[in-house]
Each structure stands twice: as C-alpha cells, then as structure tokens.
Amino acid sequence: GIKLGAGGLIRAYGGTARLVLREAEREVLIPQSQISLSTPSSNAGVIYATSAKFGGVVESEEYKANGDIKATIICNTDKYDALVQEIRDSTRG
C-alpha cells in the first residue's frame, strides 16, 4: 500500500469519521464521588435524608454488631464537599 502520512490519513478517513460522530448517540457523563462512613445506627435517618437532599444515593449499608452502620454514598462530585460537611454537622462528627 501507499504510505499516506498523517495528512493523507486525515483526508482519507476524516469524512467517514465525521459522519460516524454525527450519528453517534451522545451521553452526558457527570463526575461522581463515593463516600464511605461508619456512624451509630441512630444516625441512619440523617444519613439517608442528607444524601437525598444533595442528590446522593446510599449504595450500600451494613449494620455492625456494635450498633454502628457502615454506609457507602454516591453523589455528584460537585456536591461532595457540602454533603460531607452536612453529614458531619448533623451527626456531630
């Protein structure tokens, strides 16, 4: 075959690539962060309410023998700091 070089490749395949990109399905990706915490189970309601307030989701929870709850929360990265701060404030720690 003929060696096209970068410019030749762009000319040869650029139009096809452009058509594929026009027809491709677009998906908006929103960066997300994960929070893992352990707190007395009496704070479970606060954890769920605060997560919901900031658009977060409690992805998993586990109740420990000592009465604590271990939870993992997923939230949009832009809400992470506010969510963590409100959980700290609401649970005093």
Side-chain angles (χ1 to χ4, degrees):
I2 299 172
K3 293 184 181 179
L4 297 175
L9 288 172
I10 291 170
R11 284 188 295 281
Y13 297 107
T16 303
R18 191 174 11 266
L19 290 172
V20 168
L21 291 173
R22 277 191 198 141
E23 297 299 319
E25 185 177 323
R26 289 169 180 81
E27 184 176 344
V28 177
L29 300 177
I30 300 170
Q32 295 193 316
S33 295
Q34 178 176 306
I35 304 160
S36 295
L37 58 90
S38 185
T39 186
S41 59
S42 60
N43 291 326
V46 171
I47 300 302
Y48 277 93
T50 305
S51 296
K53 177 179 177 181
F54 289 92
V57 175
V58 177
E59 185 177 72
S60 67
E61 65 177 21
E62 179 183 347
Y63 287 89
K64 301 290 189 173
N66 67 355
D68 284 357
I69 181 174
K70 181 180 177 185
T72 302
I73 302 167
I74 303 294
C75 70
N76 291 351
T77 299
D78 64 341
K79 309 267 183 172
Y80 176 87
D81 291 334
L83 173 57
V84 169
Q85 188 59 51
E86 184 142 339
I87 288 174
R88 280 188 186 133
D89 292 346
S90 299
T91 61
R92 300 175 193 203

